Amino acid sequence: MYHDKVRVILANADKYHQAYYESETFRGPSLYFHQRSLETRKSKKTLTHLEYVYATLVSWGMHRMGNGGPKMQSFDTFRQSIELLKDKIAEAQNFDFREMNGHKWALLKDIFERINVMASGTTLVGNSKVMHHMLPNVVPPIDRKYTLSYLRGNTNVKNDLDYEWQLMKDIVSDFFIPVGSDREFKSKAGDWIARQDEYPWDTSVLKIVDNLVIGSKK
């Protein structure tokens, strides 16, 4: 489905990676809470991890004060939805995007559909970002401005849970996984991840793919 987009990203990986970091677009709390969320995802201090994830979404623009824009649920509503999923999330934390199968996709679908973090209609963006900070090796963050615009040429999402899950699955399986599985790209990603002082946003292979998509727009 996204074959041409995969080819373009792989052919321009170095260029887009450089453009991403030269833009200096995302720093401050958006980076800090992102890093803390990932570092605490397997911690026994679940509340701390969820607070970091919740703060990450706010700093990534998922809750806007006043009229209009996306709105998040209360923290307690979000926390309660995750607590019911903790065993499934723990199982999914062992998944690798290169080794997905029917059971693993079904488990991710259940997690996606039961996370309750967004009060506004669309769940794709908010839920993918929550899942990324719990399952960075299988779910990338997806947004309208960069991901959907790059892959689909528009930012429209129908507010329907089944549709949004299928859209996320297609994006992950037909774009992120092929890019992340490329042998040459895998080598580059490993080098970038090892250089965190230079490339602090390169926190996983799938996040690097996301960074390249953003870099393609710079």
Side-chain angles (χ1 to χ4, degrees):
M1 182 183 297
Y2 301 117
H3 176 75
D4 289 344
K5 301 297 185 181
V6 170
R7 178 182 54 79
V8 170
I9 284 288
L10 290 174
N12 294 279
D14 292 296
K15 174 184 174 182
Y16 292 163
H17 189 257
Q18 181 178 352
Y20 177 82
Y21 278 98
E22 286 181 348
S23 69
E24 293 289 336
T25 302
F26 310 107
R27 294 284 174 170
S30 60
L31 175 60
Y32 176 81
F33 288 120
H34 168 65
Q35 292 172 326
R36 298 293 85 77
S37 294
L38 294 173
E39 290 170 1
T40 58
R41 69 184 186 275
K42 294 185 178 181
S43 170
K44 293 182 179 180
K45 297 181 179 180
T46 307
L47 180 62
T48 299
H49 170 64
L50 294 182
E51 288 174 338
Y52 281 139
V53 173
Y54 195 75
T56 299
L57 264 66
V58 175
S59 69
W60 284 19
M62 297 309 299
H63 185 83
R64 297 180 187 172
M65 302 293 286
N67 296 327
K71 298 289 186 292
M72 291 168 60
Q73 297 281 12
S74 70
F75 177 76
D76 283 342
T77 297
F78 167 59
R79 175 183 56 79
Q80 289 166 12
S81 74
I82 297 299
E83 285 181 349
L84 296 173
L85 294 166
K86 62 182 180 180
D87 291 340
K88 294 185 177 186
I89 291 170
E91 179 182 349
Q93 285 178 332
N94 297 313
F95 294 174
D96 185 309
F97 68 82
R98 303 173 189 88
E99 300 173 351
M100 295 301 291
N101 57 35
H103 165 73
K104 293 176 180 179
W105 283 117
L107 187 65
L108 292 184
K109 181 177 188 286
D110 193 32
I111 294 170
F112 176 86
E113 291 183 342
R114 293 170 61 189
I115 291 172
N116 190 2
V117 69
M118 298 308 300
S120 44
T122 305
T123 60
L124 170 64
V125 176
N127 286 20
S128 72
K129 291 179 178 180
V130 169
M131 292 177 74
H132 175 69
H133 288 94
M134 298 175 178
L135 312 168
N137 294 323
V138 284
V139 179
I142 293 171
D143 72 356
R144 295 174 185 265
K145 182 177 180 180
Y146 297 107
T147 322
L148 296 184
S149 177
Y150 176 77
L151 292 177
R152 298 167 60 83
N154 63 70
T155 61
N156 301 325
V157 180
K158 181 171 66 174
N159 295 341
D160 176 271
L161 199 56
D162 287 337
Y163 169 83
E164 291 175 74
W165 157 253
Q166 190 60 52
L167 178 57
M168 188 181 89
K169 182 176 182 291
D170 289 345
I171 287 172
V172 175
S173 60
D174 295 343
F175 176 72
F176 279 89
I177 289 178
V179 174
S181 299
D182 179 82
R183 182 178 300 178
E184 183 178 352
F185 178 79
K186 182 180 178 181
S187 176
K188 289 181 180 181
D191 178 58
W192 290 333
I193 289 171
R195 298 160 65 183
Q196 283 294 292
D197 288 345
E198 296 175 77
Y199 308 126
W201 280 103
D202 291 356
T203 47
S204 67
V205 172
L206 297 183
K207 184 64 181 79
I208 292 175
V209 180
D210 175 58
N211 296 344
L212 299 187
V213 170
I214 297 171
S216 74
K217 299 288 187 178
K218 300 301 181 183

